[in-house]
Amino acid sequence: MVDEANSSPPKRRWLVIGAGVMGLKVADELIAKGQDVTIAEAAPTVGGLTSAWKLGDVTWDRFYHVTLLSDSVLREKLRDLDLEDEIRWVETKTGFYAGGELLSMSNTLEFLRFKPLSLFQRLRLGGTIFLASKIRDFRSMERQSVEAWLRRWSGRGAFEKVWLPLLKAKFGDAYQKTSAAFIWAHTQRMYKARRSGAKKEMFGYVPGGYARILETWTEQLASKGMRLLLGHSVREIRKLDNDTDGSRQIEVDFHDASSQIYDCVISTIASPLIARQCVDLTEQEKQQHRSITYLGVVCASLLLKKPISEYYVTNITDTWVPLTGIIEMSTIVDPERELGGHHLVYLPKYMTDDHPDLAEPDDDYRERCLQTLEKMYDHFSRDDVLEFKVARAKYVAALSTVDYSTRLPPVVTSVPGLYALNSAHILEGNLNVNETLHLGATKFHGEVWPDFVATKH
């Protein structure tokens, strides 16, 4: 065993699988420890869910992302990249589409005037949110379903008029097995953001979006010796035992028929893919990875001549609307500086990873979206649509089921030198870039690195 306090562990060859935020963060930590790092990414670009694309002449994020004032880990990384001082902060508004009307719920007065609920129901709804912000025991929330907890504290009226349609829009029927930790984590994050921003919803972005962040980050890593293999999807990972000295290495087969040998491998991709690729995991480990249910998403990006509304997010409680919400990104991102004078709107629909609608043809999804906007907004016209593109991802976020933390697969696997660390290990939070960065750092220093130091390679 190496005494880390008095000597440096040997420099070893590491492969990080996945060039999303988690993979880049792990590479950061390994390079800081003096390790030899290669990242293999199946896609032709880095970033995963934070990657960018072109909408006409505009380059912006494929999926919607913002920075909160309370996102301390993300802001620290942006500071390290000399980008934190450039963040542009904007006060946002929140809308609700309920009963065929677009309503504002951006402050306390508007909340108290929210027409779909009686005054008593509004007070119970507000009390539920306040209670969730004060709870500190994550496990107490994880042990009960979100439906049972919300019904108990909000009452039948507020639950069925507000919470139930929102849960169904987010999870579909899977809301029935979702734990109360979901609503707890969301409330904690938003309250923390308000405490950081004078009780206002202040959201921010870096000029150039995540395309610029990722380019700057990968350039920084490359300058420190990181090698990046794009378009390199992994087919299989196998352990190799050295009979001479008892040391162990790991062989990785790529889909292009090439193979490489590494001392250590850390996979940051979705758990079902880890179970498929890592053939030497125990059956229990494979089953733990396979049993995780993910939410997938189909998300349209619309570049428009005109804005749709003044709300960054419009929550939807009318069940006929086939969308999880409407995200008007150009209420935050400066249209003139970033979007060529146009307006950017995201139309996401979340569903479980086995849902057939994840494969719905782009043209069908486009028509559903346009018909929905025409019905919701009298002023909306298809003639205002300059660009319409559909992004989809099968594995976005692990579903926070009841007692989820008790069934998680281990980060340190049964195969020496093989580690599995991904966003499914997020427990006391919901998936976002800040939470992913925080998890990457804490799990690396708390589990991956101590095991590496203690293991003979």
Side-chain angles (χ1 to χ4, degrees), residues 64 165-172 182 295 324 349-352:
Y64 51 97
L166 292 179
L167 290 172
K168 285 186 173 181
K170 180 72 173 181
F171 302 112
F182 164 76
L295 285 179
T324 300
K349 177 58 181 177
Y350 290 89
M351 59 200 85
T352 52

Side-chain angles (χ1 to χ4, degrees), residues 426-447:
I426 294 174
L427 294 179
E428 300 185 37
N430 293 331
L431 178 66
N432 57 72
V433 175
N434 186 76
E435 200 68 44
T436 302
L437 291 172
H438 174 70
L439 177 71
T442 54
K443 288 292 186 181
F444 177 84
H445 292 288
E447 298 187 42

Side-chain angles (χ1 to χ4, degrees), residues 23 264 266 338 341:
C264 300
I266 179 164
E338 305 290 344

